């Protein structure tokens, strides 16, 4: 379930409502935010099925006046490095001027009868800041079907630092609405940041 809002106390409450190791998640997020006021946030908990295991993880996105903070917490089963289950929490703080793209992909049913303001069935929020780039390469070719020359490779590079999928069926309409609100706040903040330079 995704939650979004505007205050530090609201952020803590949303983390607690997620029910996913709230003390651990809140401590990591609050340490990353520091004393900066929270402009907007999104808390998204997701459950996945991995072979015979059910895995949960939570992603917390926070927007301050100068930074975008992403925190991700995963739980792990006992393994060779730990005899008991454990959780891993990581946070990354990115200056707003480093955000290179905010991509919002919307999936709508019956597009021929779409009414403005109708919530999409699904939203995928992809945010890029240059930490992770995906390269898709394939052999280059020319137009001659009998050519055996090596033409090298062609491909594309895509910024793909964070991708978050929220659906109405799985997460509820409020989560879709909140994801769109956070994406808009982040987009507006990156524009303001780049024009202030």
């Amino acid at each position: 379930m995704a939650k979004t809002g505007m205050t530090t106390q609201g952020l803590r409450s949303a983390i607690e409502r997620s029910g996913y190791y709230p003390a651990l998640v809140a401590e990591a997020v609050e340490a990353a935010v520091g004393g900066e006021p929270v402009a907007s946030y999104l808390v998204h908990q997701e459950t996945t099925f991995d072979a015979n295991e059910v895995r949960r993880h939570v992603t917390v996105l926070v927007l301050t006046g100068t930074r975008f903070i992403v925190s991700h917490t995963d739980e792990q089963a006992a393994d060779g490095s730990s005899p008991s289950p454990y959780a891993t929490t990581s946070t990354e703080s990115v200056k707003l001027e480093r955000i290179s793209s905010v991509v919002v992909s919307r999936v709508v049913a019956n597009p021929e009868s779409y009414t403005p303001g109708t919530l999409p069935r699904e939203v995928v929020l992809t945010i890029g800041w240059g930490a992770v780039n995906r390269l898709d390469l394939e052999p280059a070719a020319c137009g001659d079907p009998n050519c055996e020359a090596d033409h090298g490779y062609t491909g594309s590079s895509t910024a793909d630092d964070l991708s978050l999928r929220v659906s109405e069926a799985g997460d509820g309409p409020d989560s879709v609405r909140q994801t769109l609100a956070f994406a808009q706040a982040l987009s507006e903040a990156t524009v303001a940041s780049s024009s202030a330079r």
Side-chain angles (χ1 to χ4, degrees):
M1 168 161 345
K3 300 286 180 205
T4 188
M6 301 296 243
T7 67
T8 303
Q9 185 56 43
L11 171 58
R12 185 165 188 77
S13 296
I15 291 170
E16 289 171 1
R17 278 192 306 276
S18 80
Y20 185 82
Y21 307 121
L24 173 65
V25 173
E27 181 179 56
V29 170
E30 288 168 1
V33 171
E36 234 182 319
V38 173
S40 186
Y41 60 83
L42 180 66
V43 177
H44 182 259
Q45 182 182 333
E46 188 174 15
T47 302
T48 57
F49 301 94
D50 184 15
N52 295 329
E53 294 180 19
V54 175
R55 292 190 156 193
R56 298 179 307 155
H57 52 243
V58 67
T59 302
V60 180
L61 308 179
V62 180
L63 176 62
T64 72
T66 61
R67 298 178 296 146
F68 165 68
I69 298 163
V70 58
S71 175
H72 190 79
T73 304
D74 282 304
E75 62 184 0
Q76 307 291 329
D79 59 22
S81 67
S82 175
S84 60
Y86 61 98
T88 304
T89 299
S90 62
T91 57
E92 183 172 1
S93 178
V94 181
K95 291 181 180 181
L96 286 177
E97 57 264 16
R98 289 215 32 228
I99 303 289
S100 57
S101 65
V102 178
V103 180
V104 179
S105 300
R106 304 165 190 241
V107 177
V108 297
N110 304 313
E112 69 281 354
S113 60
Y114 176 77
T115 303
T118 303
L119 279 180
R121 181 172 82 189
E122 179 180 307
V123 172
V124 178
L125 173 60
T126 305
I127 302 166
W129 58 90
V132 177
N133 283 313
R134 183 180 69 234
L135 289 174
D136 293 320
L137 297 175
E138 60 184 44
C142 67
D144 181 359
N146 297 319
C147 180
E148 295 181 14
D150 182 355
H151 294 287
Y153 289 89
T154 185
S156 61
S157 172
T158 307
D160 197 16
D161 295 307
L162 174 78
S163 191
L164 188 77
R165 178 185 170 273
V166 178
S167 71
E168 186 177 23
D171 303 293
D174 283 345
S175 294
V176 172
R177 193 175 292 109
Q178 293 160 355
T179 302
L180 291 170
F182 182 83
Q184 182 174 349
L186 181 59
S187 291
E188 289 170 358
T190 58
V191 169
S193 173
S194 65
S195 63
R197 282 189 260 165

